[in-house]
Amino acid sequence: MLFGRAKKNQIKIPTHDIVKWKYTTCGYCSTGCSIEVGLNKEGQAVTGRGVGGADVNRGKLCIKGIFEHELFHSAGRGTVPLMRDKTHEPYQQTSWDMAMDKTASEIKRIQGTYGRDSFAIISTGQILTEEFYTLGKLVRGCIGTNNYDGNTTLCMASAASGYKRSFGSDGPPGCYDDFEHTDCLIAFGSNLPEQHPVIYWRMREAREKRRFPLIVVDPRVTMLAQFADMHLPITPGTDVVLLNALAHVILDEGLEDRAYIDAHCSGADAFEKLVAEYDPVTASKICGIDVDTIRNVARLYAKSNTAMSIWTMGINQSTHGSDGVVGINSLNLLTGNIGKPGGTSLSITGQCNAMGTREWSSCSGLPGYRALEKEQDREDIAKFWGIDPEFFPKKRGLFKTDIFPAIETGQIKGLWIIGTNPMTSMPNTARIRKTLERLEFCVVQDAYRDVETTEYANVFFPAGLWAEKNGVMTNTERRVNLMSKVIDPPAEAKADLWIFNQMAKRFENGQKIKFPETAPEVFDEMRELSKGRFLDISGMSYEKIEQQRGIQWPMKDGDDTGSPRVYSDGRFNYPDGKAKLIPLPFINDNEVPDSGFPFWLNSGRVVEHFHTRTRTGKIGNQNKFSPTPYMEMNPDSGKELGIEHMSYARLVSRRGDAVVLVQLTQRVPRNMVFVPFHFHECVNRVSLGLLDPHSRQPAFKQCAVRVEAIEQQEAAAVVNRAARTF
Ligand SMILES: Nc1nc2c(c(=O)[nH]1)N[C@H]1C(S)=C(S)[C@@H](COP(=O)(O)OP(=O)(O)OC[C@H]3O[C@@H](n4cnc5c(=O)[nH]c(N)nc54)[C@H](O)[C@@H]3O)O[C@H]1N2
Ligand SMILES: Nc1nc2c(c(=O)[nH]1)N[C@H]1C(S)=C(S)[C@@H](COP(=O)(O)OP(=O)(O)OC[C@H]3O[C@@H](n4cnc5c(=O)[nH]c(N)nc54)[C@H](O)[C@@H]3O)O[C@H]1N2
Ligand code: SF4
Ligand SMILES: [Mo]
């Protein structure tokens, strides 16, 4: 039978004379969509499409996935290794050997002069898991610096920290299929339709079938908030207070799942004592949500047969990021909603392989969720790699956000930056610039030559990106997906795996430790090291992963398929097998608006751009929708300040200023402005980034600013520079 459009003009996808479709996985966000890239007879990638049989995306892609194949030919790619003695001199083209020898000798010189930890390494959430594992082996096993971390400290650190505190281990318990079973969903600080469009689509499909209530907690009227049954416009940075109040009502009214708490949780007494202080009247004054709404949401959540919570950066990027995650976990423990279909506490991950780095990169410890603090873990990995366990430090070193201040104080003298662009993505970039200028040696490894941070480097390693490489990545729901190679990296650019392997050869321990050349061999090592562990992947192979369009860990050797959920048996990863209910006293430690800086500055993303625009800024069909740094401002505030819609204004904080194009919109309240962070020389010139005490993640979502009207012509010139049309 034919419906609707089928009878009229059917949408025709241009075929471009495709001779071959190659299976791979999207390399932007952590949804983990399966993509097929279409190649013409010249072997050029000319189109892409979603894979119908893939459980994650079921044929769908968002705008980023649709145009991803254009990245292979995009402007600004790094094609040859570059080198220079001083950072203000022009770069000279060089050979890989020269660039690597120079880097290895500088690492050794700096470590020899100032100590092992004086050379730091900062990586990413966007390379393949085999590459992460190999980098970890190089850093922990050969170079031996303890100041090694990733940009995931800007992104998922609070989620990882909160999971560890509540459940005894990192690892999100739920999956997208939970939308199909839930009776109630709360989304905290997550703008799913723009940032994870395909997860949003999965949620919407499920909600259309069963009409479960959606509650959105976000100070902004986001696209998700517009589709919600209830929108809770929370006072920035106070989610922990709301969570305490929800727990208060649940316990006060006897709506908790007492049998679950008694069997599977520890710490209930101290928790109950603390939340007793957060009655809705007290909480309402801090978090800005009225008393009845707090009570109604608590009752709705606790009385639902199954209920689930999701969250993203509105929770993680806060001075209470880790506590916010713990609070969400506790809400679900209290109501018995962990590890059951439709009942879960699911962090929506950011970057495509932010999970892979948490699992295998050794940034926060040793591979496979092992800890430097545990003697057995150090011994096991040292034995497996064939080195002396005493080579490993006995506790984790500095986080990314503490590495930059350590450069400032002279403790760190050299830096290797891999797949991250701190000159645009770190808070207070003026300070980051000064720290980078203090380095004796800096090497940047990126797919693009025109990344701002390369201006501060002595050596540039051109890397392959996305499907120019093969390996695996883990998505939000613990699904290991296959990235298969579609095309070679351009000119002399090389896969990150190759770069790490070549570097290993230049260190003494690199002679002792085996560094396999191919991704499948590395994957075999990981499988071996995962045996019997929480994140067991020993039953997986590239073939099975491709056949099943991604497999969720754990999957033990001999299993036919993976596991959609963990903790379903109520056994957690603390030695006593119980999850912890942790009391969360709230201390207001943010920079808050005052008379000099009367607005909250909120920042985030738009659907068509990814992060610092090194990729999406080059794709015409994406950049055209959002070419200019802009700011959302409430029309009433605009009127008060004499700032018109689509005029330029200056944003000023205690750190610096930026010029933005103003969009007057009711999406933000009168005391808040919102700026996407995608543009260089923009919001992070102004942001503060106070750190969460547990995760060291910056509070990108909150600081205080004022807005000034400015002369339009001068402003246009500044904005055009920042827009950096490629
Ligand atoms: N198109 C696109 N998609 C992406 C990315 C991208 O750059 N572009 N990046 C990926 C990555 S790495 C990440 S981390 C994710 C981020 O995905 P999201 O976290 O969904 O996106 P953001 O826009 O950063 O922030 C989400 C919301 O947090 C809200 N918020 C601010 N302060 C608070 C608060 O105090 N409490 C609460 N509850 N909410 C608050 C903001 O108003 C905002 O709407 O997106 C991923 N997907
Ligand atoms: N104000 C504000 N600031 C923020 C945020 C916010 O919400 N507000 N969000 C924060 C968050 S959640 C995140 S995740 C960070 C992101 O911040 P960054 O990590 O700095 O942003 P990206 O632009 O994704 O940088 C990744 C780099 O890796 C390169 N690359 C891509 N693929 C490969 C590859 O395969 N190999 C190599 N070697 N390089 C590759 C890209 O060209 C790019 O330069 O920004 C943070 N900054
Ligand atoms: S939703 Fe995420 S993974 Fe899927 S196509 Fe879009 S950017 Fe790629
Ligand atoms: Mo992120």
Side-chain angles (χ1 to χ4, degrees):
M1 203 197 308
L2 292 178
F3 293 101
R5 189 179 279 280
K7 281 187 262 171
K8 302 186 206 143
N9 301 326
Q10 269 186 294
I11 295 175
K12 252 192 120 182
I13 297 173
T15 55
H16 305 286
D17 297 322
I18 307 297
V19 293
K20 198 172 186 181
W21 290 97
K22 278 201 174 174
Y23 177 84
T24 194
T25 303
C26 177
Y28 283 113
C29 88
S30 73
T31 302
C33 297
S34 296
I35 296 192
E36 279 175 340
V37 178
L39 301 172
N40 66 13
K41 53 179 185 305
E42 282 81 42
Q44 291 158 330
V46 283
T47 189
R49 66 183 183 191
V51 177
D55 185 55
V56 167
N57 54 316
R58 305 173 183 183
K60 297 263 190 304
L61 292 176
C62 81
I63 184 171
K64 293 181 292 305
I66 289 172
F67 293 110
E68 203 162 2
H69 63 279
E70 293 189 9
L71 289 179
F72 296 132
H73 324 287
S74 54
R77 288 294 304 270
T79 51
V80 289
L82 302 170
M83 206 156 81
R84 57 184 174 184
D85 282 335
K86 300 218 162 54
T87 49
H88 52 267
E89 290 171 356
Y91 271 116
Q92 306 292 326
Q93 181 175 335
T94 185
S95 66
W96 272 108
D97 271 339
M98 298 272 281
M100 296 241 173
D101 287 346
K102 171 78 181 167
T103 302
S105 75
E106 281 294 305
I107 296 175
K108 288 177 194 169
R109 179 187 67 77
I110 288 171
Q111 289 188 314
T113 317
Y114 308 104
R116 251 170 70 164
D117 295 338
S118 62
F119 190 90
I121 296 167
I122 294 174
S123 90
T124 177
Q126 299 174 43
I127 57 177
L128 301 167
T129 312
E130 292 80 351
E131 298 177 330
F132 279 128
Y133 170 69
T134 305
L135 174 63
K137 209 195 250 183
L138 170 65
V139 178
R140 295 276 178 222
C142 303
I143 298 177
T145 174
N146 198 12
N147 292 326
Y148 162 51
D149 195 24
N151 70 355
T152 37
T153 290
L154 312 183
C155 184
M156 299 313 296
S158 296
S161 152
Y163 276 142
K164 283 183 198 163
R165 288 167 69 202
S166 296
F167 305 145
S169 168
D170 188 11
C175 58
Y176 309 152
D177 184 57
D178 285 321
F179 297 128
E180 302 284 340
H181 305 280
T182 198
D183 293 321
C184 181
L185 172 65
I186 307 191
F188 295 88
S190 168
N191 189 13
L192 223 44
E194 290 204 69
Q195 269 64 85
H196 300 87
V198 172
I199 302 183
Y200 171 67
W201 171 75
R202 289 282 304 269
M203 191 271 278
R204 201 191 61 187
E205 291 265 293
R207 194 154 161 257
E208 274 171 8
K209 279 186 230 151
R210 291 184 306 102
R211 230 18 218 105
F212 57 81
L214 167 65
I215 300 148
V216 170
V217 183
D218 195 308
R220 230 175 122 223
V221 191
T222 56
M223 210 184 278
L224 190 64
Q226 291 171 47
F227 297 131
D229 297 291
M230 291 170 88
H231 174 216
L232 278 51
I234 192 155
T235 300
T238 64
D239 295 76
V240 167
V241 176
L242 173 66
L243 285 156
N244 280 344
L246 294 175
H248 177 104
V249 175
I250 291 170
L251 288 163
D252 193 44
E253 300 189 4
L255 302 173
E256 75 278 11
D257 184 341
R258 189 53 70 182
Y260 190 88
I261 299 171
D262 289 346
H264 304 300
C265 303
S266 64
D269 291 347
F271 176 83
E272 290 183 33
K273 207 166 145 222
L274 188 276
V275 300
E277 294 168 24
Y278 288 82
D279 61 278
V281 177
T282 309
S284 170
K285 290 189 188 125
I286 307 170
C287 71
I289 306 302
D290 68 89
V291 173
D292 281 326
T293 303
I294 294 175
R295 289 203 178 105
N296 286 337
V297 170
R299 288 169 191 151
L300 183 62
Y301 203 82
K303 287 180 181 170
S304 296
N305 197 21
T306 56
M308 68 186 277
S309 318
I310 59 169
W311 75 91
T312 319
M313 291 307 125
I315 292 291
N316 290 355
Q317 289 172 346
S318 152
T319 54
H320 305 285
S322 173
D323 279 359
V325 174
V326 168
I328 294 172
N329 292 338
S330 296
L331 175 68
N332 288 289
L333 289 168
L334 269 190
T335 53
N337 280 303
I338 295 289
K340 77 179 189 197
T344 195
S345 178
L346 179 64
S347 71
I348 305 292
T349 310
Q351 304 162 85
C352 56
N353 205 18
M355 283 286 294
T357 179
R358 281 149 69 182
E359 294 157 9
W360 291 102
S361 74
S362 310
C363 272
S364 62
L366 290 166
Y369 285 159
R370 288 176 175 85
L372 284 164
E373 290 76 7
K374 290 190 185 150
E375 191 180 353
Q376 190 64 51
D377 287 354
R378 293 196 303 271
E379 272 172 15
D380 288 349
I381 294 297
K383 191 163 163 226
F384 192 82
W385 288 349
I387 57 168
D388 181 355
E390 284 306 311
F391 192 73
F392 294 140
K394 295 188 177 56
K395 65 182 210 297
R396 134 172 229 184
L398 296 177
F399 288 69
K400 175 175 180 177
T401 41
D402 292 311
I403 286 177
F404 286 92
I407 299 171
E408 216 166 36
T409 56
Q411 197 184 328
I412 287 171
K413 304 283 189 188
L415 183 62
W416 182 1
I417 299 174
I418 301 155
T420 185
N421 185 12
M423 272 308 300
T424 301
S425 60
M426 283 287 284
N428 195 355
T429 46
R431 189 170 169 198
I432 300 297
R433 174 181 293 109
K434 273 195 268 172
T435 56
L436 291 175
E437 282 171 347
R438 285 206 61 169
L439 290 167
E440 289 184 13
F441 180 79
C442 176
V443 47
V444 167
Q445 176 170 331
D446 201 286
Y448 287 88
R449 159 71 183 85
D450 59 8
V451 170
E452 291 80 22
T453 308
T454 57
E455 287 176 31
Y456 303 86
N458 305 77
V459 172
F460 172 70
F461 292 160
L465 59 66
W466 186 45
E468 292 166 356
K469 316 188 281 187
N470 62 338
V472 298
M473 300 191 297
T474 310
N475 80 351
T476 286
E477 51 170 5
R478 284 171 290 100
R479 187 183 294 269
V480 180
N481 280 313
L482 189 68
M483 176 86 84
S484 16
K485 184 169 163 177
V486 170
I487 228 163
D488 284 326
E492 288 180 39
K494 296 283 186 193
D496 296 278
L497 180 63
W498 183 89
I499 301 173
F500 301 143
N501 277 341
Q502 298 305 308
M503 193 55 88
K505 292 187 179 152
R506 289 162 166 85
F507 289 84
E508 203 187 316
N509 274 0
Q511 316 299 323
K512 292 188 207 150
I513 307 177
K514 212 171 127 233
F515 278 85
E517 270 175 35
T518 66
E521 291 168 277
V522 181
F523 187 71
D524 278 342
E525 272 193 26
M526 288 158 38
R527 283 179 43 202
E528 191 58 37
L529 280 175
S530 78
K531 272 191 183 146
R533 298 191 65 84
F534 186 47
L535 45 47
D536 200 325
I537 53 169
S538 58
M540 296 186 194
S541 67
Y542 282 12
E543 294 70 33
K544 283 188 197 155
I545 297 172
E546 179 165 351
Q547 267 163 20
Q548 299 187 28
R549 306 316 198 196
I551 302 176
Q552 289 160 284
W553 63 251
M555 180 184 180
K556 293 194 302 293
D557 205 5
D559 288 354
D560 294 329
T561 189
S563 323
R565 297 173 186 85
V566 291
Y567 306 131
S568 300
D569 57 359
R571 278 201 63 79
F572 293 87
N573 287 326
Y574 274 112
D576 63 359
K578 293 194 169 183
K580 277 199 174 128
L581 286 167
I582 301 170
L584 304 169
F586 177 77
I587 302 147
N588 197 346
D589 55 1
N590 254 334
E591 183 184 62
V592 298
D594 56 21
S595 56
F597 300 94
F599 291 96
W600 286 107
L601 171 62
N602 183 356
S603 68
R605 300 157 161 79
V606 295
V607 64
E608 53 276 340
H609 278 309
F610 193 79
H611 295 174
T612 70
R613 289 200 318 146
T614 61
R615 283 173 279 176
T616 52
K618 317 279 178 29
I619 309 288
N621 276 320
Q622 284 169 228
N623 200 44
K624 72 182 180 194
F625 295 113
S626 189
T628 310
Y630 74 92
M631 174 173 87
E632 294 179 354
M633 180 178 216
N634 187 286
D636 292 341
S637 313
K639 204 166 168 193
E640 231 166 71
L641 293 171
I643 292 172
E644 283 172 23
H645 184 56
M646 297 307 272
S647 70
Y648 294 109
R650 175 178 287 128
L651 192 61
V652 188
S653 76
R654 292 184 177 86
R655 273 72 54 195
D657 65 346
V659 177
V660 287
L661 186 69
V662 176
Q663 276 191 17
L664 295 182
T665 165
Q666 304 281 358
R667 268 197 294 270
V668 281
R670 290 181 68 156
N671 65 346
M672 176 180 287
V673 291
F674 175 86
V675 183
F677 89 97
H678 306 294
F679 299 88
H680 183 55
E681 295 290 310
C682 191
V683 71
N684 282 333
R685 284 168 61 97
V686 182
S687 60
L688 171 59
L690 291 173
L691 300 177
D692 176 279
H694 298 275
S695 67
R696 311 303 286 158
Q697 180 156 352
F700 279 116
K701 298 281 184 261
Q702 292 105 29
C703 70
V705 292
R706 68 168 175 265
V707 182
E708 296 170 355
I710 46 167
E711 208 258 306
Q712 295 300 294
Q713 222 164 0
E714 175 203 348
V718 178
V719 166
N720 282 339
R721 266 206 311 280
R724 204 171 46 124
T725 352
F726 298 101

